[in-house]
Amino acid sequence: MTTMAEAPARPVNIRVVLGGLMIAMMLAMLDNMIVSTALPRIVSEFGGLNHFTWVVTAYVLATTVSTPIWGKFGDLYGRKTVFLSSIVLFLFGSALCGMAGSEMLGGPGDGMMELIAFRAVQGLGAGGLMVGVMAIIGDLVPPRERGRYQGMIAGIMAIAMVAGPLVGGFITDHLSWRWAFYVNLPLGGVALILLATRMHLPKYRTEHRIDWLGAALLSIGITAIVLVTTWGGNEYDWTSGQILGLAALAVLSLAAFALVERRVPEPILPLSLFANRNFAVISVIGFLLGFAMFGAMNFLPLFQQTVQGASATNSGLLLLPLMFGMLVVSIVVGRAITKTGRYRAFPIVGGIVMTAGMALLAMLDVDTGKLESSLYMIVLGVGMGFLMQTSMLIAQNSVEQKDLGAASGAATFFRSIGGSFGISLFGAVFANRLADSPAGAMMAGGGEGAGVDPAALRTLPPEQQHAVLGGLADAIGVVFVWAVPFALVVAVLAWFVKEIPLRGGPTDAADTPEEQAEIALASPPVR
């Protein structure tokens, strides 16, 4: 049983607290992008080329597995304590990553394996950072005002996606790769001090009963899913015993998890949330959004570096139109929601515009100029801006305050899992299309886009170069063709979102009995 011990206390200066939250979100978003740029230097020092992808996979896996667990722990133990703990764990993992392979830890002999293990520790902390920021904003700000602040968070995400490759490139070129991890320490320290001293959240009395069995089953199931999407078609064939075995493990673990969650008093992921129509619809939208967006966007830098001839650093700058569209629209939509209290139209419009953006990007070819592709990316960014934080707001507004952490964690989790599936599926589509083109012969290891050397492509004879670049552009265009129907389904599903009045408007009190009745009607109990 959970009851509120005191009314929510607004901080003296919410902007100061928001600054600390933004730093924490920036750390979680930036890290993978900075490290990806530093990976070639790390491999050159440690070796272990056959394991280097696990430097990224270990982080993503730990983040995905821990997200719903951090959300529930915040509901049980108080979000401030849990969130500060996640920052400390993230910084501890960052320090260990920076020391991997050093003399202090035994030298470079086991450096790659140490780094992979420490990245998992860092990823566990990152899971708490991402879900914690969203849930804390949900505690501090009534839903009616929340859109404005979540628009700012979306802006931080956009900035991180551009700044990551730039910062990573600078660190790799001018400092040791270890500073890709050490740079987190001063920034995280500032966020920790700000939030520890200035953040005051509502207090709850809760009878703590941790669902450890549910947490274990969920972790096993998610791990198996992520490994299937990571290894399938790459390390192992989709029909191999390893992939089929992992798929079976995922199904059995998640089926057992569902049975356990129906019987425990404090489930890690309350299944009653999915009886709420809005929450169920938004969860599917989040999965498809991650599927289409992260899966397809993964190929834009490849197009820019190979077909358009941009450098690795400049390809980050060339993504600015997409991020600009997303940033501006997120802020405008957030303010519009705060002013009007209406939100249902935004995910519908976002799905339609995102579909148009994907359709335009499907037209990319060897003759597409940078200005033309930038205009296409602006359209996609606008669609994403309508969806990114609005979907989180709807998920949070559809549940009771006591389930806010679990709802935030679940929404983040479905988007992450969708991204994993999208990257895997679209990677297979790209590789298969490329194998039938002249560019396929240029792939190192028989058909992976990562094996293309943009500099080497420019040294080919003109006719051969045009044929190879045409094959690459065609394969990337087909990826966006596949993304179109997934984006369209987002717009269709958004029609089924019911507009529940946002709590905390200027003329009504937060969490009134009438509003709680709306939520209760939308969320019939699971028996």
Side-chain angles (χ1 to χ4, degrees):
M1 180 179 178
T2 305
T3 59
M4 186 177 290
E6 60 182 61
R10 294 292 293 272
V12 175
N13 188 344
I14 194 172
R15 294 187 181 277
V16 173
V17 175
L18 187 65
L21 295 176
M22 284 185 169
I23 293 173
M25 176 64 80
M26 177 74 81
L27 290 175
M29 294 292 297
L30 268 178
D31 193 80
N32 237 2
M33 297 172 187
I34 293 177
V35 172
S36 295
T37 309
L39 269 178
R41 191 68 55 87
I42 295 171
V43 172
S44 69
E45 181 173 331
F46 289 155
L49 182 62
N50 55 329
H51 298 301
F52 88 97
T53 55
W54 274 98
V55 175
V56 175
T57 302
Y59 181 88
V60 173
L61 180 59
T63 301
T64 306
V65 166
S66 64
T67 294
I69 298 173
W70 280 113
K72 185 59 181 180
F73 278 12
D75 288 337
L76 291 176
Y77 293 114
R79 264 177 275 286
K80 180 175 180 177
T81 300
V82 171
F83 187 63
L84 295 180
S85 299
S86 71
I87 295 178
V88 171
L89 182 60
F90 180 84
L91 296 180
F92 177 64
S94 297
L96 288 176
C97 288
M99 293 188 292
S102 66
E103 294 299 330
M104 186 181 300
L105 297 180
D110 296 322
M112 183 59 77
M113 300 310 296
E114 288 177 1
L115 181 58
I116 291 170
F118 297 154
R119 283 284 281 168
V121 175
Q122 194 187 27
L124 290 174
L129 295 182
M130 288 191 284
V131 68
V133 168
M134 297 302 179
I136 288 170
I137 290 178
D139 269 340
L140 291 176
V141 184
R144 180 64 180 267
E145 301 176 28
R146 201 175 297 161
R148 178 174 59 198
Y149 294 99
Q150 290 189 336
M152 296 178 186
I153 295 297
I156 288 295
M157 293 180 180
I159 293 170
M161 295 178 76
V162 175
L166 299 178
V167 174
F170 178 84
I171 289 174
T172 302
D173 291 338
H174 300 284
L175 301 169
S176 166
W177 62 263
R178 298 180 186 277
W179 279 97
F181 301 104
Y182 290 149
V183 72
N184 294 330
L185 302 182
L187 292 174
V190 170
L192 194 62
I193 294 170
L194 272 177
L195 297 174
T197 58
R198 302 298 297 273
M199 182 169 68
H200 308 288
L201 299 178
K203 292 181 172 58
Y204 296 89
R205 291 193 301 268
T206 305
E207 297 178 7
H208 303 306
R209 296 184 182 181
I210 303 301
D211 176 21
W212 293 114
L213 178 58
L217 290 170
L218 180 63
S219 299
I220 292 170
I222 296 172
T223 300
I225 289 174
V226 173
L227 290 178
V228 167
T229 59
T230 301
W231 285 347
N234 296 312
E235 297 286 334
Y236 306 101
D237 292 335
W238 286 104
T239 56
S240 66
Q242 291 89 338
I243 298 300
L244 294 178
L246 285 169
L249 177 63
V251 171
L252 292 174
S253 299
L254 294 179
F257 169 75
L259 293 175
V260 169
E261 297 303 274
R262 288 178 175 273
R263 289 167 171 77
V264 295
E266 285 289 347
I268 286 291
L269 185 60
L271 298 183
S272 58
L273 294 179
F274 296 96
N276 180 307
R277 187 179 77 181
N278 271 11
F279 186 83
V281 170
I282 284 297
S283 295
V284 179
I285 287 176
F287 177 87
L288 293 172
L289 177 61
F291 194 105
M293 184 179 68
F294 293 113
M297 279 178 55
N298 195 50
F299 292 91
L300 284 174
L302 179 63
F303 178 81
Q304 292 162 340
Q305 291 178 41
T306 56
V307 180
Q308 294 184 329
S311 67
T313 301
N314 287 340
S315 68
L317 292 175
L318 289 173
L319 288 174
L320 279 174
L322 186 149
M323 301 310 162
F324 177 77
M326 176 180 166
L327 172 60
V328 171
V329 173
S330 293
I331 293 174
V332 171
V333 166
R335 291 185 179 278
I337 292 174
T338 298
K339 183 177 180 179
T340 67
R342 300 287 182 179
Y343 56 80
R344 181 174 176 268
F346 295 122
I348 298 172
V349 173
I352 294 171
V353 176
M354 189 171 76
T355 302
M358 293 294 186
L360 289 171
L361 288 169
M363 298 165 58
L364 293 175
D365 59 33
V366 70
D367 297 317
T368 302
K370 293 178 182 178
L371 176 60
E372 186 179 353
S373 61
S374 295
L375 293 175
Y376 297 165
M377 285 189 282
I378 289 176
V379 177
L380 179 60
V382 168
M384 289 162 51
F386 277 107
L387 284 160
M388 286 292 287
Q389 297 308 309
T390 308
S391 59
M392 178 64 74
L393 173 65
I394 295 171
Q396 291 180 339
N397 191 59
S398 301
V399 302
E400 297 180 49
Q401 192 73 18
K402 69 182 180 65
D403 290 323
L404 190 66
S408 302
T412 305
F413 162 72
F414 282 111
R415 191 178 298 174
S416 299
I417 286 293
S420 296
F421 273 99
I423 291 171
S424 177
L425 174 64
F426 293 143
V429 169
F430 173 79
N432 290 334
R433 183 77 172 191
L434 200 59
D436 297 329
S437 74
M442 299 296 297
M443 302 296 103
E448 295 213 11
V452 177
D453 182 356
L457 290 177
R458 300 298 160 185
T459 65
L460 294 173
E463 290 186 5
Q464 186 178 358
Q465 181 184 123
H466 190 273
V468 170
L469 295 180
L472 280 166
D474 174 69
I476 293 170
V478 169
V479 168
F480 288 102
V481 170
W482 275 71
V484 167
F486 294 101
L488 186 59
V489 173
V490 170
V492 173
L493 287 174
W495 279 99
F496 296 94
V497 171
K498 179 183 179 182
E499 192 155 51
I500 298 174
L502 290 174
R503 303 187 295 280
T507 60
D508 51 37
D511 297 320
T512 63
E514 292 80 6
E515 290 165 346
Q516 291 294 346
E518 283 270 13
I519 295 172
L521 287 172
S523 307
V526 175
R527 301 186 184 280

